[in-house]
Amino acid sequence: MKKNLLLTLALCLLAQWSVAQAPKWVEKAKRAVFSVVTYDESDKILNTGNGFFVTEDGIALSDYSLFKGAQRAVVINSEGTQMPVEVIMGANDMYDVVKFRVAISGKKVPALVVAPVAPTVGASIYLLPYSTQKDRSYTTGQVKEESKVEGQYHYYTLDMQLKDKMVSCPVMTAEGQVFGLAQKSSGKDTATICYAVGADYAMAQKISPLSFNDHTLLSIGIKKALPETEEQALVYLYMASSQLAPEKYTELLNEFISQYPNSADGYLRRANNQIFQSKEASSMDKVAADMDKALEVAQKKDDAYFNRAKLIYGYQLDKPEKTYKDWTYDRALDEVRKAIAIEALPVYVQLEGDIQFAKKDYAAALASYEKVNDSNIASPATFFSAAKTKELMEAAPEEVLALMDSCMARFVQPYSEEAAPYLLERAQMRLNAGQGRGAMLDYDEYYKAVRGNVNDVFYYYREQAAVQAKQFQRALDDLAKAIELNPKELTYFSELAVVNIRVGRNEEAIKVLKDALEIDSKYAEAYRLIGVAQLQLKQNKEACASFAKAKELGDPNVDALIEKHCK
């Protein structure tokens, strides 16, 4: 009994000696260590673990495993106070680390200093467990091995026993600086060996412009921080704009504006996002306010005026039922001219032309487009704009086609899909100008550019070019293909009959038209064309009967034929 009493006394004295020997910094440092509780989408506890603050404004480190699948999380500090995790700032699943920021309501938190230099092999180290008690308990050990992560960061093997509840607790140098996060032991010798990922590596985790699609970050449902620079944050916004719902994207824009209040881009993007969500007066007031703020903070006022003009122009193109205040084409034109007055960039002049075109002031629009086509941003699109404007001004076909030729000259042959829409436009313009062969060649180039991915309408239009070029067999082949793709379209049958009549294949024309009547027995034009074919076959009596049937069915074009051939 006495022996046991002496042993107990010795152990107590040993414990007191251990505390007495604790470095002076331990008690203060332990206040930076906290417990983490994460919750799933049903708001049930998902995981619990540890972490610690590395800055007084609430940036902290822990293990990624705790946060995987979490929709929210809280930390509980050494005083038992709960604080919500505000944003995730970076994560890596391979090394099981996560960096995040805790909402601290303006109050500074105790934080550890990250060691600027890695401890050497054999150095004494200290692990600080989480505790709500004012104690100086710790676990000691030594650095057994040190290796590199990504060439510049550190990973450690430690001579130290680790309990499960100590994972992600800070591992400290003798000077009281944190150099690692404790990780679960692996391998056979789990009683004396554990591992730590370098705090420098954990601190290096960040959100980049491409992080929006990062699988590791996507597996955490908690809001993500923006990248650290304005330029990167703008790229991140661009990536998110096409993938987030408007409401969620608005939240991200609000955060950007909060972080970068003097960036005109934030207000411009929020205005553009808001205007497509609602066009009610109250919503439009917010849009206008953001545009005003963008102009106020913009370093380049011309850019702000240009963006305001573009927004108003786009708003008017959507044809609102009721125009918001003075948001008209005239207002848009006034705004872009303010931009031009500061610096006459070609892109500003292009918008000026687009607004004038929308106003149907084609002469003014053409003048603007011609300036753009003499600039360094001349492109297929700018020459096409000029060509369409001239076409609407009823200019000579050769003038219109000259601009379209300039448009196509900016593409490299063989043409790609990018050139395809312009080939179609030039083909139609050539057709209208009576240049059937040129039109047919453009349709052929279009076919190759889209690798044969065309529909029945394409074959119908190419047939018209072939007829104009007197390439009748091509016309017949294209119409047959159009009917194959759309066997219910009666127009194709009548067109095929017309071409057959034109080349003297009257019996074939009648057969085609009877096929059309199988689809619609009241198709008046079929009877009229049958009559025309019958006239060619010297079947006047039958022709007049066909004309009479066409008239009965309401064909407005048959009267002249009846007058000429059936009296």
Side-chain angles (χ1 to χ4, degrees):
M1 184 72 172
K2 184 176 181 180
K3 185 177 180 180
N4 288 338
L5 184 62
L6 289 172
L7 180 59
T8 302
L9 180 61
L11 290 172
C12 290
L13 290 172
L14 183 62
Q16 290 176 9
W17 176 83
S18 176
V19 171
Q21 295 303 309
K24 294 180 180 179
W25 49 261
V26 169
E27 185 175 339
K28 180 180 179 182
K30 286 195 67 175
R31 289 191 285 133
V33 186
F34 51 71
S35 174
V36 182
V37 183
T38 60
Y39 297 84
D40 64 16
E41 58 186 9
S42 301
D43 211 33
K44 294 180 179 179
I45 292 178
L46 182 66
N47 289 304
T48 60
N50 305 295
F52 53 90
F53 289 113
V54 286
T55 68
E56 292 181 332
D57 60 355
I59 295 177
L61 306 177
S62 185
D63 57 299
Y64 163 75
S65 300
L66 282 177
F67 286 79
K68 187 176 181 179
Q71 300 302 307
R72 74 178 185 96
V74 297
V75 306
I76 305 169
N77 67 9
S78 60
E79 297 176 352
T81 303
Q82 290 193 17
M83 294 176 279
V85 173
E86 188 174 42
V87 290
I88 303 297
M89 302 179 71
N92 181 276
D93 57 348
M94 180 178 293
Y95 288 96
D96 201 24
V97 293
V98 63
K99 183 169 74 171
F100 54 93
R101 185 171 67 240
V102 172
I104 60 174
S105 303
K107 182 181 178 181
K108 290 183 179 180
V109 294
L112 302 179
V113 175
V114 177
V117 179
T120 59
V121 173
S124 296
I125 57 170
Y126 302 80
L127 183 145
L128 306 184
Y130 167 71
S131 175
T132 56
Q133 306 298 320
K134 291 185 177 181
D135 63 34
R136 297 168 69 184
S137 63
Y138 58 89
T139 298
T140 62
Q142 290 183 322
V143 176
K144 181 179 177 65
E145 294 178 11
E146 178 268 328
S147 58
K148 288 289 190 293
V149 175
E150 295 183 2
Q152 57 180 318
Y153 305 112
H154 300 85
Y155 194 85
Y156 305 92
T157 302
L158 310 175
D159 272 325
M160 184 173 67
Q161 184 180 10
L162 185 74
K163 297 179 181 178
D164 285 342
K165 293 184 178 180
M166 293 181 178
V167 171
S168 286
C169 286
V171 189
M172 314 289 289
T173 65
E175 293 75 31
Q177 297 174 329
V178 61
F179 71 90
L181 289 79
Q183 295 193 316
K184 292 179 181 179
S185 300
S186 61
K188 296 180 180 179
D189 190 6
T190 59
T192 60
I193 298 295
C194 67
Y195 302 89
V197 62
D200 57 350
Y201 181 70
M203 288 296 289
Q205 302 309 305
K206 60 184 179 180
I207 304 294
S208 75
L210 300 179
S211 292
F212 192 80
N213 292 314
D214 183 89
H215 176 73
T216 300
L217 291 168
L218 287 173
S219 68
I220 303 175
I222 301 168
K223 185 172 71 172
K224 313 307 182 295
L226 287 170
E228 295 173 353
T229 68
E230 180 180 342
E231 182 179 2
Q232 289 185 338
L234 286 169
V235 178
Y236 185 82
L237 286 178
Y238 173 76
M239 297 288 290
S241 63
S242 62
Q243 300 183 57
L244 287 181
E247 298 78 12
K248 288 292 184 181
Y249 185 54
T250 297
E251 291 178 11
L252 192 60
L253 288 167
N254 292 341
E255 185 178 348
F256 177 88
I257 289 169
S258 176
Q259 191 167 326
Y260 302 105
N262 293 319
S263 171
D265 287 286
Y267 301 104
L268 291 172
R269 293 187 188 210
R270 189 166 68 178
N272 276 282
N273 185 56
Q274 181 71 30
I275 199 170
F276 290 114
Q277 289 189 59
S278 171
K279 291 184 174 62
E280 295 176 358
S282 58
S283 174
M284 292 300 297
D285 286 342
K286 294 177 182 178
V287 173
D290 271 344
M291 295 305 295
D292 289 342
K293 187 65 177 179
L295 180 61
E296 178 187 327
V297 303
Q299 297 295 313
K300 283 179 59 62
K301 301 298 183 186
D302 53 311
D303 186 64
Y305 283 124
F306 166 70
N307 278 287
R308 178 156 30 197
K310 188 163 61 172
L311 189 70
I312 296 171
Y313 167 65
Y315 164 82
Q316 270 299 328
L317 281 180
D318 279 348
K319 296 181 171 50
E321 292 182 9
K322 182 180 179 182
T323 297
Y324 172 74
K325 294 186 177 178
D326 63 343
W327 279 39
T328 62
Y329 285 131
D330 286 332
R331 170 72 187 280
L333 197 57
D334 180 59
E335 294 293 328
V336 77
R337 283 174 174 166
K338 289 177 183 176
I340 293 170
I342 297 172
E343 186 173 6
L345 295 178
V347 68
Y348 300 167
V349 179
Q350 172 74 39
L351 180 59
E352 179 187 42
D354 292 341
I355 297 168
Q356 291 162 331
F357 187 94
K359 291 183 63 184
K360 299 183 179 180
D361 187 352
Y362 299 127
L366 182 62
S368 296
Y369 291 146
E370 286 175 340
K371 290 178 185 177
V372 176
N373 287 334
D374 285 334
S375 76
N376 61 353
I377 71 163
S379 68
T382 63
F383 276 99
F384 173 69
S385 295
K388 290 301 288 185
T389 305
K390 276 217 168 189
E391 188 177 46
L392 289 168
M393 293 172 68
E394 300 182 351
E398 56 269 21
E399 293 181 26
V400 177
L401 283 169
L403 288 167
M404 284 306 299
D405 289 343
S406 296
C407 167
M408 295 310 305
R410 276 156 177 77
F411 289 107
V412 177
Q413 295 191 46
Y415 295 118
S416 65
E417 285 193 43
E418 183 185 3
Y422 300 106
L423 283 167
L424 277 186
E425 287 287 344
R426 188 172 69 174
Q428 189 60 50
M429 290 176 180
R430 282 177 162 175
L431 197 60
N432 294 342
Q435 299 180 13
R437 182 170 179 78
M440 190 174 65
L441 292 174
D442 273 347
Y443 282 123
D444 289 345
E445 290 296 335
Y446 174 86
Y447 183 90
K448 289 187 284 186
V450 298
R451 296 184 289 278
N453 185 23
V454 297
N455 58 17
D456 53 298
V457 177
F458 166 82
Y459 288 107
Y460 176 65
Y461 280 120
R462 191 170 69 173
E463 171 270 334
Q464 293 180 48
V467 168
Q468 196 176 92
K470 296 183 169 39
Q471 299 285 322
F472 298 114
Q473 188 56 54
R474 287 203 66 182
L476 292 169
D477 293 342
D478 278 349
L479 283 169
K481 190 66 178 176
I483 291 171
E484 177 187 328
L485 293 173
N486 189 355
K488 299 295 183 182
E489 178 53 61
L490 296 174
T491 302
Y492 301 158
F493 287 88
S494 60
E495 184 73 10
L496 181 56
V498 167
V499 178
N500 273 300
I501 292 169
R502 186 164 182 174
V503 297
R505 299 174 58 182
N506 297 292
E507 293 89 348
E508 181 64 23
I510 292 171
K511 180 180 178 300
V512 167
L513 293 164
K514 286 182 177 179
D515 288 341
L517 290 169
E518 288 292 324
I519 299 169
D520 182 359
S521 60
K522 296 182 178 180
Y523 185 38
E525 186 174 351
Y527 285 104
R528 172 167 52 82
L529 292 173
I530 287 173
V532 172
Q534 289 168 332
L535 283 177
Q536 299 297 317
L537 294 169
K538 309 300 184 183
Q539 299 171 0
N540 287 33
K541 182 178 179 181
E542 291 84 350
C544 288
S546 296
F547 292 152
K549 185 65 175 177
K551 183 175 179 63
E552 177 189 329
L553 292 171
D555 187 341
N557 301 311
V558 77
D559 289 341
L561 290 169
I562 293 173
E563 180 68 27
K564 182 176 181 180
H565 299 286
C566 302
K567 292 296 184 182

